[in-house]
Amino acid sequence: MKMKNEMRNFAIIMCLVLLISCNNKSKETEQSVVSSDTTKTTENHHKKHWDYQGETGPEHWSEMDQNDCGGKTQSPVDIVETENDKTLKPIDFHYNQKTKIHDVINNGHTIQFDFDSGDFIIINGERYELKQFHFHESAEHTIKGVRYPLEIHMVHKSKTGKFAVVSIMAQEDRKSNETFEFLDKYLPSKVNDTVKVNNDFNINKVLPENKTYYTYEGSLTTPPCTEGVQWFIFKNQIDVSIQMIQDLKKLMPVNNFRTVQELNGRKIKESI
């Protein structure tokens, strides 16, 4: 009798062990499925892309997940009607004479120059660090319907995460230009290429002499089209060599600009 009881207890224990084991395997399988689904979701998320033409072009950006591209304060805009504002102060530039270019990236949308920290602007007492500048060919903003051959966006960001973008319109110049000849040497030739630069560059030379500007509140001009961006568009353009513009045109997507957006009641102010 004692032997039978021991055998029965052993059988019960073995059944419990098998039951627990099966339950654990079931949980492991479920976790594996969840992990697999998460991976697929992540992969699909990364596959979602934007471009300047076709089904992923600007007219479809607002259909993409988690962006502001369908918002009411979007950029760029056509600068037609403006208000003179005597209270607007000049942009307080603090660009070094010798700034290290960190690298130059061909990200498939534009050519972007990244800089080491230390260059900034002051707007209404707040400091905005220069993060990078990049190019749009042709220009994104238009001035009374006129679209310039090239627009340079100098992107700044404050400690609180606010963006301020200084925009420079450029026209073609047949003469050589020392500043842009220097930049032209470091353009990455292929998409996803990065060129490391170990030379000083005087960013001030990119700016026009007359720094009066138009300003309005808008957005980033590429997805996620984040709103709340303060734009400063210089009224005076700069000259860029035809060679530089042609080289950028070869390396960037054709017409890498977003069409102008509705103002929706916004006012464009003009410094004096």
Side-chain angles (χ1 to χ4, degrees), residues 103-231:
D103 50 34
V104 188
I105 303 168
N106 183 338
N107 60 23
H109 303 302
T110 186
I111 302 296
Q112 177 176 308
F113 283 75
D114 293 334
F115 298 93
D116 286 349
S117 60
D119 297 278
F120 61 93
I121 58 177
I122 301 290
I123 300 171
N124 296 325
E126 189 168 5
R127 175 169 170 153
Y128 291 77
E129 295 282 345
L130 175 66
K131 297 299 182 181
Q132 47 100 339
F133 73 61
H134 61 268
F135 303 89
H136 292 275
E137 186 277 325
S138 301
E140 296 203 293
H141 289 86
T142 54
I143 300 177
K144 295 182 179 180
V146 175
R147 191 182 299 279
Y148 282 87
L150 188 70
E151 183 174 352
I152 304 171
H153 288 172
M154 308 188 77
V155 183
H156 305 75
K157 194 173 184 180
S158 71
K159 286 185 177 179
T160 57
K162 293 187 294 185
F163 286 100
V165 183
V166 175
S167 171
I168 307 167
M169 299 296 170
Q171 63 183 5
E172 296 176 343
D173 187 4
R174 294 190 178 277
K175 298 177 183 178
S176 60
N177 182 306
E178 183 180 348
T179 299
F180 287 96
E181 280 184 356
F182 174 86
L183 297 177
D184 201 7
K185 293 188 298 184
Y186 299 105
L187 301 182
S189 59
K190 297 179 181 178
V191 173
N192 296 325
D193 273 3
T194 298
V195 175
K196 298 294 182 183
V197 183
N198 191 29
N199 274 318
D200 296 328
F201 178 66
N202 186 354
I203 309 175
N204 296 283
K205 290 186 176 181
V206 177
L207 307 176
E209 289 186 14
N210 185 330
K211 297 179 178 62
T212 52
Y213 58 85
Y214 305 106
T215 184
Y216 75 101
E217 185 174 311
S219 72
L220 298 180
T221 63
T222 58
C225 308
T226 305
E227 296 186 327
V229 176
Q230 196 63 39
W231 279 90

Side-chain angles (χ1 to χ4, degrees), residues 28-83:
E28 287 171 4
T29 303
E30 290 170 4
Q31 290 167 357
S32 178
V33 170
V34 170
S35 177
S36 176
D37 288 345
T38 303
T39 301
K40 287 179 181 177
T41 301
T42 303
E43 288 175 351
N44 289 335
H45 175 74
H46 285 303
K47 285 179 182 177
K48 289 182 180 180
H49 198 58
W50 59 269
D51 211 328
Y52 285 101
Q53 294 180 346
E55 295 181 356
T56 55
E59 63 271 24
H60 299 290
W61 289 353
S62 62
E63 302 165 10
M64 297 180 182
D65 294 338
Q66 297 179 344
N67 68 48
D68 296 326
C69 296
K72 297 296 184 182
T73 57
Q74 289 290 291
S75 297
V77 298
D78 186 16
I79 300 169
V80 181
E81 296 183 3
T82 63
E83 294 180 358

Side-chain angles (χ1 to χ4, degrees), residues 94-107:
H94 293 265
Y95 289 172
N96 296 310
Q97 297 288 321
K98 294 183 178 180
T99 296
K100 288 287 186 184
I101 301 174
H102 185 65
D103 50 34
V104 188
I105 303 168
N106 183 338
N107 60 23

